[in-house]
Amino acid sequence: MTDRELDAAGITDPALRAAYRHCRALNARHGKTYFLATRLLPVERRPAVHALYGFARWADDIVDSLDPGAGPDVRVRALSRLQGELEEGLRRGGSGEPVVRALADTAHRYAIDHAHFRDFMTAMRSDLVVTAYPTYADLRAYMHGSAAVIGLEMLPVLGTVVPREEAAPYAAALGVAFQLSNFLRDVGEDLDRGRVYLPADLLAGHGVDRELLVRSRATGHPDRRITAALKEFEALTRGVYRTAVPGIDLLDPVARPCIRTAAVLYGGILDTVARDGYTVLHRRSAVQRRHRAVVAVDGLARVAAARLRARTGPGDRPPACARPLPAAASSPAMAVCSAEEVA
């Protein structure tokens, strides 16, 4: 499938193809939700998404997954090196570093504003020194660089049926919603890294502070005050989804199934956290594979419907095999249309 994606995108240079393959491997290994949703995009647009994700993954790994024995100075130097590679790569349109080479090529092909990448790097550097956020407004300021710009980077790749600036606020909001979902799921793991992304004033409204979070994490004992705070954060996140999701209809129709699938899967994190009793301080809530399969099948059907509409016109009704499948579907085998044709 990799060669088919690269051929369709018109990427012929061997070194550049290798760079995109490297990014795709990062996506497949680390970003299961992103990777699944990306498979629903037109084949020629997938390499660009892999490049954007691969760069974000690389920077995030420096912040979170570097040898825990390495001090902050080591991480700062690693991010500074990445920043230098990024600036040079964007200026030259290429780089000796594969991830940056693919990113620079994608930025050039889709005319992506370089400021988005710089804002992202600013947020990554902030993670090395900022360990808490007093208010939601403070958290949103951080998430402009860590999440909103990801949605803005994606817009030129996805395409829109309206002027891009009209779709931009929705794309940014969806990026924020995805990250808020991850913050809720990862409360315990982030606390182990010394960070609390839940706003301090939201926590304080329920009598919760960092000390209580640490104690609950250490003892494994739940606390109703923490549960109440997590429920409020969940409600806040669902509100961001309600703001963002209408923007999906502003995208190129062939890109909508990808983003709708991502929204359903990330939104499913909230459902899973609630189903697990808001025990995220003690164990990680994971969306079940069966649910992923159901959503993927529905996404495939939506892709088929979008492609058929593009061929037959908006007034024609697609055949049953190209219509979204019911939620009861439990296996990709229930997709009547050929997966090879759609994917």
Side-chain angles (χ1 to χ4, degrees):
M1 181 63 73
T2 303
D3 286 340
R4 180 181 168 217
E5 292 173 352
L6 297 172
D7 292 343
I11 300 167
T12 58
D13 177 74
L16 191 56
R17 288 170 73 92
Y20 274 105
R21 286 193 188 96
H22 179 67
C23 292
R24 186 181 190 275
L26 286 174
N27 195 350
R29 184 164 67 250
H30 294 292
K32 293 180 175 59
T33 297
Y34 263 77
F35 188 72
L36 177 61
T38 300
R39 292 294 298 272
L40 301 178
L41 278 176
V43 65
E44 70 276 4
R45 302 189 201 182
R46 297 176 198 170
V49 177
H50 295 320
L52 294 172
Y53 178 85
F55 179 79
R57 181 74 260 173
W58 186 19
D60 193 61
D61 279 350
I62 291 174
V63 173
D64 286 340
S65 301
L66 206 61
D67 179 357
D73 289 347
V74 174
R75 297 171 189 254
V76 168
R77 286 195 296 272
L79 278 181
S80 294
R81 284 194 299 271
L82 177 56
Q83 180 85 51
E85 291 274 4
L86 170 67
E87 296 291 349
E88 180 69 7
L90 292 175
R91 185 181 65 81
R92 291 174 47 222
S95 172
E97 166 52 52
V99 174
V100 175
R101 180 185 291 125
L103 180 78
D105 182 69
T106 289
H108 174 72
R109 287 172 183 266
Y110 289 94
I112 299 173
D113 189 344
H114 294 179
H116 297 328
F117 305 118
R118 298 184 184 109
D119 289 347
F120 174 76
M121 291 301 297
T122 297
M124 293 300 97
R125 286 195 299 274
S126 134
D127 267 334
L128 298 180
V129 293
V130 178
T131 60
Y133 295 87
T135 68
Y136 181 59
D138 296 312
L139 183 64
R140 283 298 296 255
Y142 160 76
M143 287 191 295
H144 166 74
S146 65
V149 297
I150 304 298
L152 297 175
E153 291 166 11
M154 287 281 290
L155 261 190
V157 179
L158 299 173
T160 61
V161 295
V162 297
R164 193 180 300 170
E165 58 271 19
E166 185 176 333
Y170 296 98
L174 195 57
V176 168
F178 290 171
Q179 186 163 61
L180 289 172
S181 298
N182 286 341
F183 285 161
L184 182 61
R185 179 195 63 195
D186 298 339
V187 168
E189 295 175 13
D190 287 331
L191 190 63
D192 292 343
R193 298 184 182 107
R195 301 190 206 115
V196 177
Y197 288 106
L198 277 62
D201 61 348
L202 182 153
L203 294 173
H206 298 278
V208 179
D209 56 16
R210 181 185 290 261
E211 182 180 351
L212 180 59
L213 294 174
V214 170
R215 185 164 65 249
S216 178
R217 173 77 166 166
T219 63
H221 293 156
D223 188 292
R224 59 179 178 78
R225 294 169 292 179
I226 295 175
T227 299
L230 295 174
K231 286 182 177 180
E232 182 178 345
F233 192 77
E234 176 203 358
L236 181 155
T237 303
R238 291 188 187 278
V240 178
Y241 275 104
R242 286 193 294 272
T243 297
V245 164
I248 295 176
D249 289 335
L250 305 183
L251 300 175
D252 183 339
V254 298
R256 292 173 195 167
C258 165
I259 302 307
R260 199 176 302 279
T261 295
V264 171
L265 289 173
Y266 273 95
I269 293 173
L270 304 179
D271 298 330
T272 302
V273 168
R275 183 200 68 207
D276 291 346
Y278 303 91
T279 56
V280 287
L281 265 177
H282 312 122
R283 65 190 182 95
R284 199 173 198 261
S285 295
V287 177
Q288 296 176 343
R289 289 185 178 181
R290 180 182 181 278
H291 179 67
R292 288 176 181 271
V294 170
V295 175
V297 169
D298 182 74
L300 286 171
R302 289 178 183 274
V303 169
R307 292 184 181 178
L308 189 64
R309 281 194 297 270
R311 290 196 297 266
T312 61
D316 297 316
R317 177 174 173 81
C321 69
R323 295 178 205 141
L325 298 181
S330 61
S331 167
M334 294 185 69
V336 182
C337 296
S338 166
E340 278 298 316
E341 171 75 16
V342 179

